Coordinates of all heavy atoms in Angstrom, one line a residue:
M1 N 195.3 236.2 153.7 CA 195.8 234.8 153.6 C 197.3 234.9 153.4 O 197.9 235.4 152.5 CB 195.2 234.1 152.3 CG 195.1 232.6 152.5 SD 194.0 232.1 151.1 CE 194.9 230.6 150.7
K2 N 198.0 234.3 154.4 CA 199.4 234.4 154.5 C 200.2 233.7 153.3 O 201.2 234.3 152.9 CB 199.9 233.8 155.8 CG 201.0 234.7 156.4 CD 201.3 234.3 157.9 CE 202.6 234.8 158.3 NZ 203.6 233.8 158.7
T3 N 199.6 232.6 152.9 CA 200.3 231.8 151.9 C 200.4 232.6 150.6 O 201.4 232.6 149.9 CB 199.6 230.5 151.6 OG1 199.4 229.9 152.9 CG2 200.5 229.6 150.8
V4 N 199.4 233.4 150.3 CA 199.3 234.1 149.1 C 200.5 235.2 149.1 O 201.1 235.4 148.1 CB 198.0 234.8 148.9 CG1 198.0 235.7 147.7 CG2 196.9 233.7 148.6
S5 N 200.6 235.9 150.2 CA 201.7 236.9 150.2 C 203.1 236.3 150.1 O 204.0 236.8 149.5 CB 201.6 237.7 151.5 OG 201.9 236.9 152.6
K6 N 203.2 235.1 150.6 CA 204.5 234.3 150.5 C 204.8 234.0 149.0 O 205.9 234.2 148.6 CB 204.4 233.0 151.3 CG 205.4 233.0 152.4 CD 205.3 231.6 153.0 CE 204.8 231.6 154.5 NZ 204.4 230.3 155.0
V7 N 203.7 233.6 148.3 CA 203.9 233.3 146.9 C 204.2 234.5 146.1 O 205.0 234.5 145.2 CB 202.6 232.6 146.4 CG1 202.7 232.3 144.9 CG2 202.5 231.2 147.1
K8 N 203.5 235.6 146.5 CA 203.8 236.9 145.8 C 205.2 237.3 146.0 O 205.9 237.7 145.0 CB 202.9 238.0 146.5 CG 201.8 238.5 145.6 CD 201.2 239.7 146.3 CE 199.7 239.8 145.9 NZ 199.0 240.6 146.9
E9 N 205.7 237.1 147.2 CA 207.1 237.4 147.5 C 208.1 236.6 146.6 O 209.0 237.0 146.0 CB 207.4 237.2 149.0 CG 208.9 237.3 149.4 CD 209.3 238.7 149.5 OE1 208.6 239.6 149.2 OE2 210.5 238.9 149.9
A10 N 207.7 235.3 146.5 CA 208.5 234.4 145.7 C 208.5 234.8 144.2 O 209.5 234.7 143.6 CB 208.0 232.9 145.9
R11 N 207.3 235.2 143.8 CA 207.2 235.6 142.4 C 208.1 236.9 142.1 O 208.7 237.0 141.1 CB 205.7 235.9 142.1 CG 205.4 235.9 140.6 CD 203.9 236.0 140.4 NE 203.2 234.7 140.5 CZ 203.1 233.8 139.6 NH1 203.6 234.0 138.4 NH2 202.4 232.7 139.8
R12 N 208.1 237.7 143.1 CA 208.9 238.9 142.9 C 210.4 238.6 142.8 O 211.1 239.1 142.0 CB 208.7 239.8 144.2 CG 209.1 241.3 144.0 CD 208.7 242.1 145.2 NE 209.2 241.6 146.4 CZ 210.5 241.8 146.8 NH1 211.3 242.6 146.1 NH2 210.9 241.3 148.0
L13 N 210.8 237.6 143.7 CA 212.2 237.2 143.7 C 212.5 236.4 142.5 O 213.7 236.3 142.1 CB 212.4 236.3 144.9 CG 212.5 237.1 146.3 CD1 212.5 236.1 147.4 CD2 213.7 238.0 146.3
L14 N 211.5 235.8 141.8 CA 211.8 235.1 140.6 C 212.3 236.0 139.5 O 213.2 235.6 138.7 CB 210.5 234.4 140.2 CG 210.6 233.4 139.0 CD1 211.5 232.2 139.4 CD2 209.2 232.8 138.7
K15 N 211.8 237.2 139.5 CA 212.2 238.2 138.5 C 213.6 238.7 138.8 O 214.4 239.1 138.0 CB 211.2 239.4 138.5 CG 209.9 238.9 138.0 CD 209.0 240.1 137.6 CE 207.7 239.7 137.1 NZ 206.7 239.7 138.1
K16 N 213.9 238.7 140.1 CA 215.2 239.2 140.6 C 215.7 238.3 141.7 O 215.5 238.6 142.9 CB 215.0 240.6 141.1 CG 216.3 241.4 141.2 CD 216.0 242.9 141.5 CE 217.2 243.7 141.9 NZ 217.3 243.9 143.3
P17 N 216.3 237.2 141.3 CA 216.7 236.2 142.3 C 217.6 236.8 143.4 O 218.5 237.6 143.1 CB 217.4 235.1 141.5 CG 217.0 235.3 140.1 CD 216.7 236.8 140.0
Q18 N 217.3 236.4 144.6 CA 218.1 237.0 145.7 C 219.0 235.9 146.2 O 218.6 234.9 146.8 CB 217.1 237.4 146.8 CG 217.6 238.5 147.7 CD 216.6 238.9 148.7 OE1 215.5 239.1 148.4 NE2 217.1 239.1 149.9
V19 N 220.3 236.2 146.0 CA 221.3 235.2 146.4 C 222.1 235.8 147.6 O 222.4 237.0 147.6 CB 222.3 234.9 145.3 CG1 223.4 233.9 145.7 CG2 221.6 234.4 144.0
Q20 N 222.3 235.0 148.6 CA 223.0 235.5 149.8 C 223.9 234.4 150.3 O 223.8 233.3 149.9 CB 222.0 236.0 150.8 CG 221.2 234.9 151.4 CD 220.5 235.4 152.7 OE1 219.8 236.4 152.7 NE2 220.6 234.7 153.8
K21 N 224.8 234.8 151.3 CA 225.7 233.8 151.9 C 224.9 232.8 152.7 O 223.8 233.1 153.2 CB 226.6 234.6 152.8 CG 228.1 234.5 152.3 CD 229.0 235.3 153.3 CE 229.4 234.3 154.4 NZ 230.3 235.1 155.4
F22 N 225.4 231.6 152.7 CA 224.7 230.5 153.4 C 224.4 230.9 154.8 O 225.2 231.4 155.5 CB 225.6 229.2 153.3 CG 225.0 228.1 154.1 CD1 223.9 227.4 153.5 CD2 225.5 227.7 155.3 CE1 223.3 226.4 154.2 CE2 224.9 226.6 156.0 CZ 223.8 226.0 155.4
D23 N 223.2 230.6 155.2 CA 222.7 230.9 156.5 C 222.0 229.6 157.1 O 220.9 229.3 156.6 CB 221.8 232.1 156.5 CG 221.3 232.5 157.9 OD1 221.2 231.6 158.8 OD2 220.9 233.6 158.1
G24 N 222.6 229.0 158.0 CA 222.1 227.7 158.5 C 220.6 227.8 159.1 O 219.8 226.9 158.9
S25 N 220.3 229.0 159.7 CA 219.0 229.1 160.2 C 217.9 229.2 159.1 O 216.8 228.8 159.3 CB 218.9 230.3 161.2 OG 219.1 231.5 160.4
L26 N 218.3 229.8 158.0 CA 217.4 230.0 156.9 C 217.2 228.6 156.2 O 216.2 228.3 155.7 CB 217.9 231.0 155.9 CG 217.6 232.5 156.2 CD1 218.2 233.4 155.2 CD2 216.1 232.8 156.3
H27 N 218.3 227.9 156.2 CA 218.4 226.7 155.4 C 217.3 225.7 155.9 O 216.7 224.9 155.1 CB 219.8 226.0 155.5 CG 219.9 224.8 154.7 ND1 219.4 224.7 153.4 CD2 220.3 223.5 155.1 CE1 219.7 223.4 153.0 NE2 220.2 222.7 154.0
T28 N 217.0 225.7 157.2 CA 216.1 224.7 157.8 C 214.6 225.2 157.6 O 213.7 224.4 157.9 CB 216.4 224.6 159.3 OG1 216.3 225.9 159.9 CG2 217.7 223.9 159.6
Q29 N 214.4 226.3 157.0 CA 213.1 226.8 156.8 C 212.3 226.0 155.8 O 212.9 225.7 154.7 CB 213.1 228.3 156.4 CG 213.2 229.2 157.6 CD 213.0 230.6 157.2 OE1 212.7 231.0 156.0 NE2 213.2 231.5 158.1
K30 N 211.1 225.6 156.1 CA 210.3 224.8 155.2 C 209.0 225.5 154.9 O 208.6 226.4 155.6 CB 210.0 223.4 155.9 CG 211.2 222.6 156.2 CD 211.3 221.4 155.3 CE 212.6 220.7 155.4 NZ 212.7 219.7 156.5
F31 N 208.5 225.1 153.8 CA 207.2 225.7 153.3 C 206.2 224.6 153.3 O 206.5 223.5 152.7 CB 207.4 226.3 152.0 CG 206.1 226.7 151.3 CD1 205.5 227.8 151.6 CD2 205.7 225.9 150.2 CE1 204.3 228.2 150.9 CE2 204.5 226.2 149.6 CZ 203.8 227.4 149.9
W32 N 205.1 224.8 154.0 CA 204.1 223.8 153.9 C 203.2 224.0 152.7 O 202.5 225.0 152.6 CB 203.3 223.8 155.2 CG 202.2 222.8 155.2 CD1 200.8 223.1 155.0 CD2 202.3 221.4 155.4 NE1 200.1 221.9 155.0 CE2 201.0 220.8 155.3 CE3 203.4 220.5 155.6 CZ2 200.7 219.5 155.4 CZ3 203.1 219.2 155.7 CH2 201.8 218.6 155.6
C33 N 203.2 223.1 151.8 CA 202.3 223.2 150.6 C 201.0 222.6 150.9 O 200.8 221.4 151.1 CB 203.0 222.5 149.4 SG 202.0 222.7 148.0
Y34 N 200.0 223.5 151.0 CA 198.6 223.0 151.3 C 198.1 222.1 150.2 O 197.3 221.2 150.5 CB 197.7 224.2 151.5 CG 197.9 225.0 152.7 CD1 198.7 226.2 152.7 CD2 197.4 224.6 153.9 CE1 198.9 226.9 153.9 CE2 197.6 225.3 155.1 CZ 198.4 226.5 155.1 OH 198.6 227.2 156.2
C35 N 198.4 222.4 149.0 CA 197.9 221.7 147.9 C 198.4 220.2 147.9 O 197.6 219.3 147.6 CB 198.2 222.4 146.6 SG 197.7 224.1 146.6
C36 N 199.7 220.0 148.1 CA 200.2 218.7 148.1 C 200.2 218.0 149.4 O 200.4 216.8 149.5 CB 201.7 218.8 147.6 SG 201.8 219.5 146.0
G37 N 200.1 218.8 150.5 CA 200.1 218.3 151.8 C 201.5 217.8 152.2 O 201.6 216.7 152.8
L38 N 202.5 218.5 151.8 CA 203.8 218.1 152.2 C 204.7 219.3 152.4 O 204.4 220.4 152.0 CB 204.4 217.2 151.1 CG 204.5 217.6 149.7 CD1 205.8 218.5 149.4 CD2 204.6 216.4 148.8
E39 N 205.8 219.0 153.1 CA 206.8 220.1 153.4 C 207.8 220.2 152.3 O 208.3 219.2 151.8 CB 207.5 219.8 154.7 CG 206.9 220.6 155.8 CD 207.7 220.4 157.1 OE1 208.5 219.4 157.2 OE2 207.5 221.2 158.0
V40 N 208.1 221.4 151.9 CA 209.1 221.7 150.9 C 210.2 222.6 151.4 O 209.9 223.5 152.2 CB 208.4 222.4 149.7 CG1 209.4 222.6 148.6 CG2 207.2 221.6 149.2
E41 N 211.4 222.3 151.1 CA 212.5 223.2 151.5 C 212.3 224.6 150.8 O 212.1 224.6 149.6 CB 213.9 222.7 151.0 CG 214.2 221.3 151.6 CD 215.2 221.4 152.7 OE1 215.8 222.4 152.9 OE2 215.4 220.3 153.3
K42 N 212.4 225.6 151.5 CA 212.1 227.0 151.0 C 213.2 227.5 150.1 O 213.0 228.1 149.1 CB 211.8 227.9 152.2 CG 210.7 228.9 151.9 CD 210.7 230.0 152.9 CE 209.5 229.8 153.9 NZ 209.6 230.9 154.9
H43 N 214.4 227.3 150.6 CA 215.6 227.9 149.9 C 216.5 226.8 149.4 O 216.5 225.7 149.9 CB 216.4 228.8 150.9 CG 215.5 229.7 151.6 ND1 214.7 230.7 151.0 CD2 215.2 229.8 153.0 CE1 214.0 231.4 152.0 NE2 214.3 230.8 153.1
V44 N 217.3 227.1 148.4 CA 218.2 226.1 147.8 C 219.6 226.6 148.1 O 219.9 227.8 147.9 CB 218.0 226.0 146.3 CG1 219.1 225.2 145.7 CG2 216.7 225.3 146.0
T45 N 220.5 225.7 148.5 CA 221.8 226.1 148.8 C 222.8 225.1 148.4 O 222.5 223.9 148.2 CB 222.0 226.3 150.4 OG1 223.3 226.7 150.6 CG2 221.7 225.1 151.1
D46 N 224.1 225.5 148.1 CA 225.1 224.6 147.8 C 226.1 224.5 149.0 O 227.2 224.0 148.8 CB 225.8 225.0 146.5 CG 226.5 226.3 146.6 OD1 226.5 227.0 147.7 OD2 227.2 226.8 145.6
G47 N 225.8 225.1 150.1 CA 226.6 225.1 151.3 C 227.4 226.4 151.4 O 227.9 226.7 152.5
N48 N 227.5 227.1 150.4 CA 228.2 228.4 150.4 C 227.3 229.6 150.3 O 227.2 230.5 151.1 CB 229.3 228.5 149.4 CG 230.4 227.6 149.6 OD1 231.0 227.5 150.8 ND2 230.8 226.8 148.7
M49 N 226.5 229.5 149.1 CA 225.6 230.5 148.8 C 224.2 229.9 148.8 O 224.0 228.7 148.7 CB 225.8 231.1 147.4 CG 227.2 231.7 147.2 SD 227.6 233.0 148.4 CE 226.6 234.4 147.6
M50 N 223.2 230.7 149.0 CA 221.8 230.2 148.9 C 220.9 231.1 148.1 O 221.1 232.4 148.1 CB 221.2 229.9 150.3 CG 221.2 231.0 151.3 SD 220.9 230.3 152.9 CE 219.3 229.5 152.7
V51 N 220.0 230.5 147.4 CA 219.1 231.2 146.5 C 217.8 231.2 147.3 O 217.2 230.1 147.5 CB 218.9 230.6 145.1 CG1 218.1 231.5 144.3 CG2 220.3 230.4 144.5
L52 N 217.3 232.4 147.7 CA 216.1 232.4 148.5 C 214.9 232.1 147.7 O 214.7 232.5 146.5 CB 215.9 233.8 149.1 CG 217.0 234.3 150.0 CD1 216.7 235.7 150.6 CD2 217.2 233.3 151.2
F53 N 214.0 231.3 148.3 CA 212.7 230.8 147.8 C 212.9 229.9 146.5 O 211.9 229.5 145.9 CB 211.8 232.0 147.4 CG 211.3 232.7 148.6 CD1 211.9 233.8 149.1 CD2 210.2 232.1 149.3 CE1 211.4 234.5 150.2 CE2 209.7 232.8 150.5 CZ 210.3 233.9 150.9
A54 N 214.1 229.5 146.2 CA 214.3 228.7 145.0 C 213.6 227.3 145.1 O 213.0 226.8 144.2 CB 215.7 228.6 144.6
G55 N 213.7 226.8 146.3 CA 213.0 225.5 146.6 C 211.5 225.6 146.4 O 210.9 224.7 145.8
L56 N 211.0 226.6 146.9 CA 209.5 226.8 146.8 C 209.1 227.0 145.4 O 208.1 226.4 144.9 CB 209.2 228.1 147.6 CG 207.7 228.5 147.9 CD1 207.7 229.4 149.1 CD2 207.1 229.3 146.8
I57 N 209.8 227.8 144.7 CA 209.5 228.1 143.3 C 209.6 226.8 142.4 O 208.8 226.5 141.6 CB 210.4 229.2 142.7 CG1 210.0 230.5 143.4 CG2 210.2 229.3 141.2 CD1 211.0 231.6 143.2
E58 N 210.7 226.0 142.7 CA 210.9 224.8 141.9 C 209.8 223.8 142.2 O 209.2 223.2 141.3 CB 212.2 224.1 142.3 CG 213.4 224.6 141.5 CD 214.7 224.0 142.0 OE1 214.7 222.9 142.6 OE2 215.7 224.6 141.7
H59 N 209.3 223.8 143.5 CA 208.2 222.9 143.8 C 207.0 223.3 143.0 O 206.2 222.4 142.5 CB 208.0 222.9 145.3 CG 206.7 222.2 145.7 ND1 206.6 220.8 145.6 CD2 205.5 222.7 146.0 CE1 205.3 220.5 145.9 NE2 204.7 221.6 146.2
M60 N 206.7 224.5 143.0 CA 205.5 225.0 142.4 C 205.4 224.9 140.9 O 204.4 225.0 140.3 CB 205.2 226.5 142.8 CG 204.8 226.6 144.2 SD 204.3 228.2 144.7 CE 203.5 227.8 146.3
A61 N 206.6 224.6 140.3 CA 206.6 224.4 138.9 C 206.5 222.9 138.5 O 206.5 222.5 137.3 CB 207.9 225.0 138.3
T62 N 206.5 222.0 139.5 CA 206.4 220.6 139.2 C 205.0 220.2 138.8 O 204.1 220.8 139.2 CB 206.8 219.7 140.4 OG1 205.9 220.0 141.5 CG2 208.3 220.0 140.9
P63 N 205.0 219.2 137.9 CA 203.6 218.7 137.4 C 202.8 218.2 138.6 O 201.6 218.3 138.5 CB 204.0 217.6 136.4 CG 205.4 217.7 136.2 CD 206.1 218.5 137.2
E64 N 203.4 217.6 139.6 CA 202.7 217.0 140.7 C 202.0 218.2 141.4 O 200.8 218.1 141.8 CB 203.7 216.4 141.7 CG 204.2 215.0 141.2 CD 205.4 215.2 140.2 OE1 206.0 216.3 140.2 OE2 205.6 214.3 139.4
H65 N 202.7 219.3 141.6 CA 202.1 220.4 142.4 C 200.9 221.0 141.6 O 199.9 221.3 142.1 CB 203.1 221.5 142.6 CG 202.5 222.7 143.3 ND1 202.2 222.8 144.6 CD2 202.2 223.9 142.7 CE1 201.7 224.0 144.8 NE2 201.7 224.7 143.7
R66 N 201.1 221.1 140.3 CA 200.1 221.6 139.4 C 198.8 220.7 139.5 O 197.7 221.3 139.7 CB 200.6 221.6 138.0 CG 199.7 222.2 136.9 CD 200.5 222.4 135.6 NE 201.3 223.6 135.7 CZ 200.9 224.8 135.3 NH1 199.7 225.0 134.9 NH2 201.7 225.9 135.4
K67 N 199.0 219.4 139.5 CA 197.9 218.5 139.6 C 197.2 218.6 140.9 O 196.0 218.7 141.0 CB 198.4 217.1 139.3 CG 197.4 216.1 138.7 CD 198.0 214.8 138.5 CE 197.9 213.9 139.7 NZ 198.8 212.7 139.7
N68 N 198.0 218.6 142.0 CA 197.5 218.7 143.3 C 196.8 220.0 143.6 O 195.8 220.0 144.3 CB 198.6 218.5 144.3 CG 199.1 217.1 144.4 OD1 198.4 216.2 144.1 ND2 200.4 217.0 144.7
T69 N 197.3 221.1 143.0 CA 196.6 222.4 143.1 C 195.2 222.4 142.5 O 194.3 222.9 143.1 CB 197.5 223.5 142.5 OG1 198.8 223.5 143.2 CG2 196.8 224.9 142.8
H70 N 195.1 221.8 141.3 CA 193.9 221.7 140.6 C 192.8 220.9 141.5 O 191.7 221.3 141.7 CB 194.0 221.1 139.3 CG 194.6 222.0 138.2 ND1 194.0 223.2 137.9 CD2 195.8 221.9 137.5 CE1 194.8 223.8 137.0 NE2 195.9 223.0 136.8
T71 N 193.3 219.8 142.0 CA 192.4 219.0 142.8 C 192.0 219.7 144.1 O 190.9 219.7 144.5 CB 193.2 217.7 143.2 OG1 193.8 217.1 142.1 CG2 192.3 216.6 143.9
F72 N 193.0 220.3 144.7 CA 192.8 221.1 146.0 C 191.7 222.2 145.7 O 190.8 222.4 146.5 CB 194.1 221.7 146.4 CG 194.0 222.4 147.7 CD1 194.1 221.8 149.0 CD2 193.9 223.8 147.7 CE1 194.0 222.5 150.1 CE2 193.8 224.5 148.9 CZ 193.9 223.9 150.1
W73 N 191.9 222.9 144.7 CA 191.0 224.0 144.4 C 189.6 223.5 144.1 O 188.6 224.1 144.5 CB 191.5 224.9 143.2 CG 191.9 226.2 143.7 CD1 191.2 227.4 143.5 CD2 193.0 226.6 144.5 NE1 191.8 228.4 144.1 CE2 192.9 228.0 144.7 CE3 194.1 225.9 145.0 CZ2 193.9 228.7 145.4 CZ3 195.0 226.6 145.8 CH2 194.9 228.0 145.9
W74 N 189.5 222.4 143.4 CA 188.3 221.9 143.0 C 187.5 221.4 144.3 O 186.3 221.7 144.4 CB 188.5 220.7 142.0 CG 187.2 220.2 141.5 CD1 186.4 220.7 140.5 CD2 186.5 219.0 141.9 NE1 185.3 219.9 140.3 CE2 185.3 218.9 141.2 CE3 186.8 218.0 142.9 CZ2 184.5 217.8 141.4 CZ3 186.0 216.9 143.1 CH2 184.8 216.8 142.3
Q75 N 188.3 220.7 145.2 CA 187.7 220.2 146.4 C 187.2 221.3 147.3 O 186.2 221.2 148.0 CB 188.7 219.3 147.1 CG 188.7 217.9 146.5 CD 189.9 217.1 147.1 OE1 190.8 217.7 147.8 NE2 189.9 215.8 146.8
N76 N 187.9 222.4 147.3 CA 187.6 223.5 148.3 C 186.8 224.6 147.6 O 186.5 225.6 148.3 CB 188.9 224.0 148.9 CG 189.6 223.0 149.8 OD1 189.3 222.9 150.9 ND2 190.6 222.3 149.2
K77 N 186.5 224.4 146.4 CA 185.8 225.4 145.7 C 186.3 226.8 145.9 O 185.6 227.8 146.1 CB 184.3 225.4 146.1 CG 183.7 224.0 146.0 CD 182.4 224.1 145.2 CE 181.7 222.7 145.2 NZ 182.5 221.6 144.7
A78 N 187.6 226.9 145.8 CA 188.3 228.2 146.1 C 188.3 229.0 144.8 O 187.9 228.6 143.7 CB 189.8 227.9 146.5
E79 N 188.6 230.3 145.0 CA 188.6 231.2 143.9 C 189.6 230.9 142.8 O 190.8 230.7 143.1 CB 188.8 232.6 144.4 CG 187.8 233.6 144.0 CD 188.1 235.0 144.4 OE1 188.2 235.2 145.6 OE2 188.4 235.8 143.5
Q80 N 189.1 230.9 141.6 CA 190.0 230.6 140.5 C 191.1 231.6 140.3 O 192.3 231.2 140.0 CB 189.1 230.6 139.2 CG 189.8 229.8 138.0 CD 189.8 228.3 138.2 OE1 189.1 227.8 139.1 NE2 190.7 227.6 137.5
K81 N 190.8 232.8 140.5 CA 191.8 233.9 140.4 C 193.1 233.6 141.2 O 194.2 233.9 140.8 CB 191.2 235.2 140.7 CG 191.0 236.1 139.5 CD 190.6 237.5 139.9 CE 189.1 237.7 139.8 NZ 188.7 238.9 140.5
I82 N 192.8 233.1 142.5 CA 193.9 233.0 143.4 C 194.8 231.8 143.0 O 196.0 231.8 143.2 CB 193.4 232.7 144.8 CG1 192.5 233.9 145.2 CG2 194.5 232.6 145.8 CD1 191.8 233.8 146.6
K83 N 194.1 230.8 142.4 CA 194.9 229.6 142.0 C 196.1 229.9 141.1 O 197.2 229.3 141.4 CB 193.9 228.6 141.2 CG 194.6 227.3 141.0 CD 193.6 226.3 140.5 CE 193.5 226.5 139.0 NZ 192.6 225.4 138.4
D84 N 195.9 230.8 140.2 CA 197.1 231.1 139.3 C 198.3 231.6 140.1 O 199.4 231.4 139.6 CB 196.6 232.2 138.3 CG 195.6 231.6 137.4 OD1 195.5 230.4 137.2 OD2 194.8 232.4 136.8
K85 N 198.0 232.2 141.2 CA 199.2 232.6 142.1 C 200.0 231.5 142.6 O 201.1 231.7 143.0 CB 198.6 233.5 143.2 CG 198.0 234.8 142.8 CD 198.0 235.8 143.9 CE 197.7 237.2 143.5 NZ 196.2 237.3 143.2
F86 N 199.4 230.3 142.7 CA 200.0 229.2 143.3 C 200.8 228.3 142.2 O 201.3 227.3 142.5 CB 199.0 228.3 144.0 CG 198.7 228.8 145.4 CD1 197.7 229.8 145.5 CD2 199.4 228.3 146.5 CE1 197.4 230.3 146.8 CE2 199.1 228.8 147.7 CZ 198.1 229.8 147.9
L87 N 200.6 228.8 141.0 CA 201.3 228.0 139.9 C 202.3 228.8 139.2 O 202.1 230.0 138.9 CB 200.2 227.5 138.9 CG 199.1 226.6 139.4 CD1 198.0 226.4 138.4 CD2 199.7 225.2 139.8
F88 N 203.4 228.2 139.0 CA 204.5 228.9 138.2 C 204.6 228.1 137.0 O 204.7 226.9 137.0 CB 205.8 228.9 139.0 CG 205.8 229.8 140.2 CD1 205.3 229.4 141.4 CD2 206.3 231.1 140.0 CE1 205.4 230.3 142.5 CE2 206.4 232.0 141.1 CZ 205.9 231.6 142.3
S89 N 204.7 228.8 135.9 CA 204.9 228.1 134.6 C 206.4 227.7 134.5 O 207.3 228.3 135.1 CB 204.5 228.9 133.4 OG 205.4 230.0 133.3
K90 N 206.7 226.7 133.7 CA 208.0 226.2 133.5 C 208.9 227.3 132.9 O 210.0 227.5 133.3 CB 208.0 225.0 132.7 CG 209.3 224.2 132.8 CD 209.2 222.7 132.8 CE 210.6 222.1 132.9 NZ 211.8 223.0 132.9
E91 N 208.3 228.1 132.0 CA 209.0 229.2 131.4 C 209.5 230.2 132.4 O 210.6 230.7 132.3 CB 208.1 229.9 130.3 CG 207.7 229.0 129.2 CD 206.7 227.9 129.5 OE1 205.6 228.3 130.1 OE2 206.9 226.8 129.2
E92 N 208.6 230.5 133.3 CA 208.9 231.5 134.4 C 210.2 231.0 135.2 O 211.0 231.8 135.5 CB 207.8 231.6 135.3 CG 206.9 232.9 135.1 CD 205.8 232.9 136.2 OE1 205.1 232.0 136.3 OE2 205.8 234.0 136.8
V93 N 210.2 229.7 135.5 CA 211.2 229.2 136.4 C 212.6 229.1 135.6 O 213.6 229.3 136.2 CB 210.8 227.9 137.0 CG1 212.0 227.2 137.8 CG2 209.6 228.0 137.8
D94 N 212.5 228.8 134.4 CA 213.7 228.6 133.6 C 214.5 229.8 133.4 O 215.7 229.8 133.1 CB 213.4 227.9 132.2 CG 213.1 226.4 132.4 OD1 213.4 225.9 133.4 OD2 212.5 225.9 131.4
R95 N 213.9 230.9 133.5 CA 214.5 232.2 133.2 C 215.7 232.5 134.2 O 215.6 232.3 135.3 CB 213.5 233.3 133.4 CG 212.9 233.8 132.1 CD 212.7 235.3 132.1 NE 211.9 235.7 133.3 CZ 210.6 235.8 133.3 NH1 209.9 235.6 132.3 NH2 210.0 236.1 134.4
Ligands
LIG1 ZN1 202.7 221.6 146.1

C-alpha cells in the first residue's frame, strides 16, 4: 500500500525535519487524503525555504482528520494496526 510508505516517510522526517531551498515543482505536490477525501498540500514553504511533508503532517494532526480516519476505518473494516500510522499526535507534531 503506497500511502502507508508515504506516511512512514513523513514520520521519519518528523523526527528529523528536512528543510531545503524552495522548489516550485515540489511546492505544487499534493497528497490525497483517503480518509478525508480531500487534497492536502504536501510541503510547507515561505517562498524561500520549504519543509518537506510538513503540510501532510500538519493535516494528519488535525481533529478533523482524526475523526475522518476513524470513520473511514470503521466503514472499510480496515486493520486497526495500520490506522495508527495515519494518525499523528499533537505532541509528535509540536516537537
Ligand atoms: Zn485527512
Side-chain angles (χ1 to χ4, degrees):
M1 210 167 138
K2 220 169 162 234
T3 312
V4 172
S5 66
K6 244 186 242 163
V7 175
K8 249 188 212 158
E9 172 78 357
R11 199 174 279 276
R12 197 173 59 79
L13 288 170
L14 188 60
K15 294 198 179 92
K16 198 172 169 254
Q18 209 178 312
V19 181
Q20 66 167 54
K21 247 179 85 185
F22 178 72
D23 180 334
S25 64
L26 279 177
H27 181 49
T28 53
Q29 278 187 7
K30 297 254 171 83
F31 167 78
W32 177 258
C33 182
Y34 288 98
C35 307
C36 301
L38 56 83
E39 258 186 344
V40 181
E41 301 255 353
K42 218 192 255 179
H43 314 294
V44 167
T45 181
D46 65 358
N48 292 310
M49 304 300 286
M50 56 195 300
V51 187
L52 298 183
F53 289 100
L56 190 156
I57 291 164
E58 269 174 26
H59 169 74
M60 287 189 166
T62 59
E64 289 78 24
H65 175 76
R66 186 168 280 270
K67 210 178 85 196
N68 289 330
T69 302
H70 284 299
T71 311
F72 181 85
W73 244 257
W74 185 79
Q75 279 169 350
N76 292 277
K77 307 231 185 306
E79 231 185 294
Q80 198 68 21
K81 251 189 262 168
I82 303 172
K83 189 173 81 175
D84 294 338
K85 292 202 171 77
F86 281 83
L87 297 170
F88 288 85
S89 68
K90 196 143 182 354
E91 294 73 51
E92 256 183 308
V93 175
D94 284 344
R95 264 213 310 264

